[in-house]
Amino acid sequence: MSYQIKSISDLQDEIFRLRTLETQQSVALKARFSSPSAIFSSVLTLFPRSADSDGVRTPGLFHPDILNLVSRFVIPLTLNKTLFKKSNFIVKTLVGLVSQKASNYVNEESVSGVWGTVKGIFEKFTKKKAQGEYKPEPYKKPVGGPVV
């Protein structure tokens, strides 16, 4: 604090400045938590964002930390409910541990790579076959000369 208080009027000015600062900050806080989307974005700030290859933090549609967090729960739950439905406790625990480690490899690049592959496969099946271009026959000169 570089401002020095030398008189009672300086003290009153400083008190007034601090009160206005308090009201401004309280208005900003109320605005931050005014709607559900604002609360959700505030909660998302608790999760650290990883830097991209160029060092810039850019949130995309598939946020790596959120995907990683979701995959830690979804992968074991899905595997235990489908493939290992009638397995015992030890197998389900091992599946959970292995899938927890595998979920570290789930990120934006891997999801978008898989999405691109699936999209390419469906494009092969749904792509319309190109019809041969229409080529008119060349002009043929009448045999008996021009028709009048």
Side-chain angles (χ1 to χ4, degrees):
M1 224 165 119
S2 63
Y3 184 72
Q4 292 184 358
I5 300 172
K6 296 181 181 176
S7 67
I8 189 77
S9 63
D10 292 342
L11 181 62
Q12 290 172 345
D13 290 342
E14 184 65 17
I15 290 172
F16 178 73
R17 186 187 69 82
L18 289 174
R19 284 188 179 156
T20 55
L21 185 65
E22 178 189 16
T23 57
Q24 289 173 351
Q25 289 177 350
S26 66
V27 166
L29 255 168
K30 286 178 185 175
R32 186 170 182 151
F33 294 106
S34 64
S35 67
S37 63
I39 293 171
F40 183 70
S41 65
S42 297
V43 169
L44 283 181
T45 59
L46 296 175
F47 298 106
R49 294 182 177 166
S50 62
D52 289 341
S53 60
D54 56 356
V56 178
R57 294 180 177 188
T58 54
L61 178 63
F62 299 114
H63 192 278
D65 296 329
I66 298 291
L67 273 176
N68 193 343
L69 182 68
V70 169
S71 66
R72 285 178 181 261
F73 296 106
V74 171
I75 292 173
L77 184 70
T78 305
L79 288 175
N80 285 331
K81 292 293 181 180
T82 56
L83 296 177
F84 302 104
K85 192 173 188 175
K86 296 185 179 182
S87 298
N88 59 10
F89 175 74
I90 295 174
V91 172
K92 288 187 178 187
T93 304
L94 288 175
V95 166
L97 290 174
V98 170
S99 60
Q100 292 269 332
K101 294 295 181 182
S103 69
N104 289 332
Y105 298 106
V106 175
N107 57 15
E108 182 178 5
E109 294 171 2
S110 63
V111 170
S112 48
V114 169
W115 177 253
T117 305
V118 170
K119 187 177 174 183
I121 290 171
F122 280 111
E123 283 179 354
K124 287 180 185 176
F125 292 120
T126 60
K127 188 176 183 181
K128 294 182 180 178
K129 295 181 180 178
Q131 297 176 357
E133 293 183 17
Y134 174 71
K135 296 180 183 177
E137 293 182 20
Y139 176 74
K140 293 181 186 176
K141 193 173 186 180
V143 179
V147 179
V148 180

